Amino acid sequence: MSKVFVTAATVIGLAASASQASVIQYTGLGFNSQVQVVHNGTTLNVHAGQINIKIDSTPFVAFCVDMDHSIKSDWLAGSDPVASITGGVAAAYLYDTFKAGVTDNIKGAALQIAIWEVVDDFGGSLSLANGDFKFSTAGDILNQANAYLAAIPGNLAGYITNSYVLKSGWDPRSQNLIVPEPGTLIALMLGLPLFVMRRRLA
């Protein structure tokens, strides 16, 4: 008699492996504004705001967590935990807490700017006037971005998120994005009980 053991952890592992081959399509911008920022000493004129994508044909609203690469029209990507990038948990807190409230261009741009700030400067003082990331244009976007940053708890050690980093493959290399965990994957991970299957072999 031979026994074959299959666990939920095994299935989750297979699902995670499958997610590494997801096809990503860029479908345009949502609420956004063109802004001037400084990233690692370089002044950039960029669109800051919602990024509309499809993951294996399912639409999602994402935000950028990677200013070193431009977005492509389509690419392959896998999924990494938010803690895999600097400031990732803080970025996830901002994304989880405020993404549903983005209803105009000001809030879209401000949330993206706040996310860029924590990714570039987390671990030090979060200030849009100083550090590796800077945005200093006075106005509603700056005020809203500062309000988002001020809402981050002082201690995120126990923060749990369903969001993850959509990590681009290398050919082509696109931006890494923060997105919510797809509902189908959550259902797969939570809906399968731990079980043991035995099979008789002749």
Side-chain angles (χ1 to χ4, degrees):
M1 177 186 298
S2 176
K3 297 179 180 178
V4 179
F5 298 98
V6 181
T7 66
T10 302
V11 178
I12 291 169
L14 291 173
S17 297
S19 72
Q20 294 175 1
S22 293
V23 177
I24 316 302
Q25 295 174 297
Y26 169 68
T27 59
L29 295 171
F31 291 117
N32 78 95
S33 293
Q34 186 164 1
V35 297
Q36 186 176 87
V37 301
V38 177
H39 168 63
N40 290 333
T42 301
T43 300
L44 304 170
N45 292 297
V46 296
H47 288 277
Q50 296 174 321
I51 299 172
N52 296 322
I53 61 171
K54 289 184 177 180
I55 303 176
D56 293 332
S57 300
T58 301
F60 291 91
V61 176
F63 282 81
C64 171
V65 291
D66 171 15
M67 296 197 73
D68 294 323
H69 300 91
S70 60
I71 198 159
K72 306 301 182 183
S73 58
D74 56 83
W75 67 99
L76 296 178
S79 58
D80 276 2
V82 294
S84 66
I85 62 171
T86 301
V89 177
Y93 178 86
L94 289 169
Y95 181 73
D96 297 344
T97 305
F98 299 113
K99 69 178 184 293
V102 172
T103 54
D104 57 42
N105 291 331
I106 291 172
K107 291 179 180 177
L111 183 53
Q112 179 62 89
I113 286 167
I115 289 172
W116 280 333
E117 169 63 17
V118 298
V119 170
D120 267 11
D121 289 331
F122 195 79
S125 174
L126 293 179
S127 169
L128 291 171
N130 302 292
D132 292 331
F133 178 83
K134 299 176 186 175
F135 174 73
S136 58
T137 304
D140 292 338
I141 295 175
L142 178 62
N143 294 339
Q144 185 65 65
N146 279 323
Y148 287 148
L149 291 171
I152 300 173
N155 186 349
L156 288 166
Y159 185 69
I160 298 174
T161 178
N162 285 329
S163 300
Y164 69 96
V165 174
L166 195 63
K167 186 174 182 180
S168 173
W170 287 100
D171 187 19
R173 179 63 166 86
S174 189
Q175 287 181 342
N176 296 332
L177 306 172
I178 189 166
V179 293
E181 185 74 25
T184 53
L185 186 55
I186 293 175
L188 178 63
M189 290 190 295
L190 298 182
L192 289 175
L194 186 65
F195 67 93
V196 177
M197 180 174 63
R198 293 184 174 91
R199 177 183 303 166
R200 290 181 181 271
L201 297 179

